Amino acid sequence: MKAFAQSLLALWRELGLNQRVSLVVAALVVAGVVAGLVVWSRQPDYQLLYGRLAEKDAAAIVSALQAQGIPHKVMGGGGTIYVPAEQVHRLRMELAGKGLPGGEGVGFEIFDKGQFGLSDFVQRTNYNRAIQGELSRTIAQLDGVSSARVMIVQPENRLLLTDQGIKPTASVFIEVNGRLETEAVNSIRHLVANSVQGLSPDEVAVVDQRGRVLSANLKEDPLLGSASSLIRYRQQVEEYFVSKIEGMLTPVLGPGQAVVRVSAEIDNESATLVEERFDPESAVIRTQTNTEDTNSSTEAKRGGTVGVTGNTPAEPGAAAAEERPNVTNAQNRKNQSVSYEINRITSNVKRNPGGIKSLTAAVFIAARPPAADGQPSTARTTAELNALRRTVLNALGLKPAAGQNLEELVTLQETAFQPVVIDENVAKLATESRIQGWVGAGSRYLSVAIAIGALLLFYRMLRGQRVEPVPVDLLTPIASGSSRTNNPGALTPELLNELIRQKPANVGTALRDWIGTKQN
């Protein structure tokens, strides 16, 4: 070990001032990089424990982590907590056992503890609070929603109701990050409405932190009586046909090579048509009555009276009257009555609004790009444009009348598209986002890059060192041990072996020079 230290000291004495400074700087850089890598490698790998937490939940979770002495990081404005990766699942189970995170408001855990002696009003109030809390937690899980609060108003359950038209209503206050899509707002309305008995989506108001009523234009109108409902329905119809035509033209012309706009005229009137028609030629028998009368006539002579009166002679006139015959008449008569019903057709047709009266489309097609050999592009012929126009007509389901011009229904024009001009603000935001992405990626690999750079720099410095030959006199053999003892600078076998181990290239060069000098 002592010999090795002496050899290093001899090597240090042979180096120049610049070489000594470079070697010290390289050694310090390598030592610093190695120390940094060691410290960085010993740092725990943090992973997400919970994100988008409310302030109350974040404070409770941080307190629980501090009580256990677990290292953690709080980011994202205090709503995101990171812990070591090996403890994520264990901490989630432990915090869930403690009811953390609880979310906004109080959920159905309010009924976990038995409470006796509560009035019916308090029970209904607790149930209402539980529903509001559960809905707030659920809505806060949507993308773009930071937090939410739900207020539900339900009519009192009385035995005698004075107003039967009172219905439950609800209000939702949300804190959004940017702009919330219409589909998300509509999903919030239906989520709240389906959670409360008797509540309709139109009775749910959604308001954001900027004071905007997001659900104002989403109320359903089955008869399209309001202007907002009619405009929204017309927009949906037009967007449907636009996407249908663009989806058909894109595979043929290429993406971004066609601009389509469709105008739809919607019928917003409702009507009820009642029609009654009679057909006199198709008469049918409705009732038929047959009547039959029979009359008969019978003649008979009257006989004498039995007894004393019959044996007593009568007067001459009276005898003649008694001798006249008794005549009875009978009559037979038939009567038939037939009633006919005329055929009648009654139709009742109810027409709801929303029918499409007419459709027109305007289509711009980009000109063909120049040829590969630099030749200018050729315009499409009239036949090609008419073929595209008929394709658009068929996609819209339009059937032109006889003699009607197709250009009245579909206007199709080929023109050169202007290059897209990127707004300065948009370009600035895109540049900033790219820079942030590069910085984030660079920060992860900065330490590794520094270590690799330091090693390369040290290797390059070592390669730049020139091989210094060992003086020839050091290689001259020593005759006796006394001279070796008296001459401290003499070359000994131990020193020669040490030089060969430390600087084999220098010794080899010295030997080659010495052999060459001897031969000359």
Side-chain angles (χ1 to χ4, degrees):
M1 188 67 182
K2 184 177 180 180
F4 178 72
Q6 290 178 356
S7 63
L8 289 180
L9 184 59
L11 179 61
W12 177 261
R13 290 174 181 176
E14 294 176 2
L15 297 176
L17 180 61
N18 295 334
Q19 294 175 346
R20 293 179 180 179
V21 173
S22 300
L23 186 60
V24 170
V25 171
L28 292 177
V29 170
V30 171
V33 171
V34 171
L37 288 176
V38 171
V39 174
W40 176 73
S41 62
R42 296 183 63 182
Q43 292 290 332
D45 182 17
Y46 285 92
Q47 289 188 3
L48 179 65
L49 178 64
Y50 289 111
R52 298 167 57 183
L53 294 172
E55 295 179 356
K56 181 179 179 181
D57 293 334
I61 293 175
V62 169
S63 299
L65 295 177
Q66 291 177 352
Q68 299 182 17
I70 298 175
H72 58 277
K73 292 182 180 180
V74 180
M75 303 175 65
T80 305
I81 300 176
Y82 290 87
V83 296
E86 63 274 6
Q87 300 183 12
V88 170
H89 301 289
R90 180 182 64 83
L91 289 176
R92 285 180 179 175
M93 289 187 292
E94 291 182 359
L95 294 175
K98 298 178 181 179
L100 295 175
E104 293 288 342
V106 181
F108 279 103
E109 65 271 8
I110 194 174
F111 297 105
D112 292 343
K113 298 181 180 179
Q115 298 178 355
F116 299 97
L118 297 180
S119 62
D120 183 64
F121 175 77
V122 176
Q123 291 288 358
R124 291 200 313 269
T125 303
N126 290 338
Y127 179 74
N128 198 18
R129 290 177 58 194
I131 291 180
Q132 293 177 167
E134 294 293 338
L135 289 175
S136 300
R137 297 173 184 177
T138 306
I139 295 173
Q141 300 300 319
L142 297 177
D143 292 338
V145 179
S146 299
S147 61
R149 294 190 63 186
V150 180
M151 288 72 73
I152 300 175
V153 179
Q154 291 184 339
E156 295 184 7
N157 188 11
R158 295 181 178 178
L159 181 61
L160 298 177
L161 297 178
T162 58
D163 190 356
Q164 299 290 342
I166 299 178
K167 297 181 180 180
T169 58
S171 301
V172 181
F173 175 81
I174 58 177
E175 184 178 355
V176 298
N177 298 325
R179 182 178 179 273
L180 197 63
E181 298 294 334
T182 305
E183 291 79 6
V185 178
N186 202 21
S187 64
I188 292 174
R189 295 171 61 244
H190 285 81
L191 175 65
V192 176
N194 292 330
S195 302
V196 180
Q197 183 180 3
L199 181 61
S200 63
D202 291 340
E203 301 298 332
V204 180
V206 182
V207 184
D208 64 356
Q209 74 272 18
R210 297 182 180 86
R212 297 177 300 179
V213 182
L214 304 179
S215 59
N217 297 327
L218 296 179
K219 292 185 177 181
E220 299 178 357
D221 190 357
L223 299 180
L224 297 178
S226 62
S228 60
S229 300
L230 179 61
I231 294 175
R232 186 171 64 254
Y233 176 73
R234 179 178 179 179
Q235 183 180 3
Q236 293 175 356
V237 172
E238 293 176 350
E239 289 178 354
Y240 166 74
F241 284 106
V242 167
S243 62
K244 186 177 181 181
I245 297 174
E246 288 183 347
M248 181 181 56
L249 295 178
T250 298
V252 179
L253 303 177
Q257 299 298 311
V259 179
V260 182
R261 294 294 182 269
V262 176
S263 177
E265 185 179 358
I266 306 300
D267 185 9
N268 61 340
E269 296 180 354
S270 60
T272 301
L273 178 62
V274 179
E275 183 180 5
E276 187 176 5
R277 293 181 298 175
F278 295 91
D279 188 6
E281 296 181 358
S282 57
V284 296
I285 298 175
R286 182 177 183 182
T287 58
Q288 183 176 359
T289 304
N290 295 326
T291 303
E292 182 177 355
D293 297 336
T294 302
N295 296 327
S296 59
S297 177
T298 304
E299 181 178 357
K301 291 183 178 181
R302 298 178 63 182
T305 303
V306 179
V308 178
T309 305
N311 296 323
T312 303
E315 296 180 358
E322 291 178 358
E323 291 178 358
R324 287 183 297 180
N326 186 9
V327 178
T328 303
N329 296 326
Q331 183 179 1
N332 186 7
R333 185 181 63 181
K334 293 183 178 180
N335 186 12
Q336 183 178 6
S337 177
V338 180
S339 298
Y340 292 90
E341 185 73 20
I342 300 177
N343 188 17
R344 182 180 64 177
I345 300 175
T346 302
S347 59
N348 188 348
V349 180
K350 184 178 181 181
R351 187 184 63 186
N352 293 325
I356 301 176
K357 290 184 177 180
S358 63
L359 285 174
T360 56
V363 182
F364 279 108
I365 299 176
R368 289 174 176 171
D373 54 358
Q375 297 294 331
S377 60
T378 58
R380 294 180 175 85
T381 61
T382 305
E384 294 176 344
L385 296 178
N386 289 333
L388 292 175
R389 183 179 288 107
R390 286 192 294 270
T391 303
V392 174
L393 280 173
N394 294 332
L396 294 175
L398 298 178
K399 296 181 180 179
Q404 187 178 8
N405 191 2
L406 300 181
E407 295 183 357
E408 297 179 358
L409 300 176
V410 176
T411 302
L412 192 144
Q413 183 177 357
E414 182 183 11
T415 183
F417 286 6
Q418 297 295 328
V420 179
V421 179
I422 302 177
D423 191 5
E424 296 181 357
N425 296 330
V426 176
K428 184 177 179 181
L429 292 176
T431 304
E432 292 179 355
S433 62
R434 286 197 299 269
I435 293 175
Q436 292 177 359
W438 295 340
V439 171
S443 61
R444 292 192 294 268
Y445 304 104
L446 181 61
S447 58
V448 179
I450 292 176
I452 295 175
L455 292 176
L456 292 177
L457 179 62
F458 186 68
Y459 177 72
R460 185 176 180 182
M461 292 175 62
L462 291 178
R463 290 190 59 185
Q465 298 293 333
R466 295 180 179 180
V467 179
E468 298 179 358
V470 179
V472 178
D473 53 357
L474 294 178
L475 300 177
T476 303
I478 305 302
S480 62
S482 60
S483 61
R484 191 168 57 243
T485 306
N486 297 330
N487 187 9
L491 181 64
T492 61
E494 292 80 4
L495 182 58
L496 182 60
N497 293 330
E498 188 68 25
L499 289 174
I500 292 174
R501 283 195 300 269
Q502 292 183 5
K503 290 188 176 182
N506 294 352
V507 176
T509 303
L511 290 175
R512 283 195 298 271
D513 294 342
W514 178 61
I515 294 173
T517 304
K518 291 295 183 179
Q519 291 177 356
N520 294 332

